[in-house]
Amino acid sequence: MTARLAYWSAADQVVADVVGALDTACGTPLTVALLDSPVGSDHLAATNTIVLSRKYAAPGLAAVADRLILYRLATAFEHLGVNTRDAEALDSYNGWQQRLWRLANPPQDPPPADVYRFYHGTNRCNYYGGGIQTTGLMPSRAGGALGCKRWEKHDIASESKDQGWNTVTLDFEVALSYARQHTEWAMGMKRNEPALRDVADEGGLVLTFDMSKDAVDGNGRWRRDNSGDPNNFQTEEAIPAGRIRVAEALGIPGPLTAVAPPPTVTSAPKPKADPPPSTGRRRVYPPTGL
């Protein structure tokens, strides 16, 4: 798996720079190793090693393995820290973190002008193993029997879920945000749910399919959801499995929060002192005789 890291280092200068920073900090070259543990991934600072479960050596999980390597590279780099008083170093640090995240989850190309490209974020077990990959998006499986009209809260947006209607979006970032939350849950990052699960099964992915605008506009089986986001649609039309493809194999947690410089401390303005009493003579007016 170290060969995958070498590939990314050769393909992108930021990856090479971050690997170099970790090599220097740890005093040994960064490697990628496989463990027998059935779940999880990590970076071991003592040996400068990214560890993954052995299952990620399988060719069918190469894309997931790449994303986990880039994610663990980003988290290891985060632990190095940065001098927040050095503006140039701080800018590079935040830029490199954003770049690593975007390499793992790159944006999508725009569709043709007469096409709607819809995205749907879900978890991997909903797609594989007899799921959407086989059945397509079925209205009968959409929404939930409990909490009709429930709301999915994303990092960047909201969408409504109604039973019998599949919710999709034209905004890849919204679908990616939903997929990312599935991965965070699988990694035990959600509050009160610390159990580790295998992200190959339980992590989030993003699906996509195209529809001609003529087939959607004015079609009563399509509508916008009531989240207020004009990119979000709902449909009670079945979408065949053959029209659906994986746009993103694994939404990784992130992007990591940018580090800010320390606040500027300014002294409070001193209150103006009262002017000293005048030392001049007071004018004396003559008596009026009253």
Side-chain angles (χ1 to χ4, degrees):
M1 296 299 288
T2 301
R4 297 303 304 160
L5 177 64
Y7 163 80
W8 284 107
S9 294
D12 192 272
Q13 186 59 47
V14 165
V15 175
D17 290 341
V18 171
V19 169
L22 288 169
D23 290 351
T24 300
C26 298
T28 186
L30 179 65
T31 57
V32 182
L34 300 175
L35 297 182
D36 292 326
S37 174
V39 297
S41 60
D42 206 350
H43 173 259
L44 306 180
T47 57
N48 199 22
T49 306
I50 293 172
V51 292
L52 303 176
S53 302
R54 287 191 179 278
K55 69 183 303 177
Y56 293 109
L61 290 176
V64 176
D66 277 353
R67 281 145 182 79
L68 287 174
I69 289 171
L70 291 169
Y71 171 65
R72 291 304 174 187
L73 188 62
T75 56
F77 181 59
E78 181 188 31
H79 292 154
L80 294 184
V82 62
N83 180 4
T84 58
R85 298 184 183 278
D86 184 332
E88 184 176 350
L90 185 62
D91 186 62
S92 295
Y93 179 88
N94 286 329
W96 288 3
Q97 289 285 38
Q98 181 69 24
R99 176 61 180 164
L100 289 174
W101 182 75
R102 264 304 173 202
L103 279 173
N105 291 154
Q108 301 292 300
D109 294 331
D114 59 345
V115 167
Y116 285 130
R117 179 157 295 160
F118 292 109
Y119 298 98
H120 181 72
T122 188
N123 61 20
R124 291 176 56 85
C125 64
N126 278 347
Y127 180 69
Y128 295 106
I132 297 170
Q133 185 183 34
T134 301
T135 66
L137 283 170
M138 304 294 292
S140 60
R141 297 187 179 185
L146 295 176
C148 203
K149 293 261 186 201
R150 70 187 176 92
W151 290 84
E152 294 292 353
K153 298 295 184 182
H154 294 241
D155 294 349
I156 59 174
S158 298
E159 66 179 16
S160 61
K161 299 275 189 177
D162 295 294
Q163 191 169 14
W165 294 77
N166 277 303
T167 303
V168 293
T169 179
L170 299 174
D171 189 340
F172 171 72
E173 301 301 326
V174 170
L176 178 61
S177 174
Y178 190 28
R180 192 164 68 227
Q181 291 184 73
H182 281 290
T183 304
E184 290 172 354
W185 175 78
M187 288 183 171
M189 298 168 67
K190 292 294 187 182
R191 183 182 300 176
N192 300 324
E193 296 190 41
L196 289 177
R197 298 168 176 85
D198 195 338
V199 298
D201 296 329
E202 305 287 351
L205 51 61
V206 179
L207 306 176
T208 187
F209 61 92
D210 289 349
M211 295 284 294
S212 69
K213 291 182 177 179
D214 290 343
V216 173
D217 293 341
N219 184 339
R221 304 186 74 183
W222 286 82
R223 68 186 186 190
R224 281 183 165 81
D225 79 352
N226 34 344
S227 66
D229 186 341
N231 289 311
N232 292 348
F233 284 71
Q234 292 180 317
T235 182
E236 56 180 2
E237 187 173 314
I239 309 299
R243 299 188 63 174
I244 300 170
R245 63 181 178 85
V246 176
E248 178 50 69
L250 181 70
I252 65 168
L256 299 175
T257 303
V259 178
T264 302
V265 178
T266 57
S267 300
K270 295 181 179 180
K272 293 182 178 180
D274 293 335
S278 174
T279 56
R281 294 174 60 87
R282 293 181 64 189
R283 179 175 294 180
V284 178
Y285 293 91
T288 62
L290 297 176

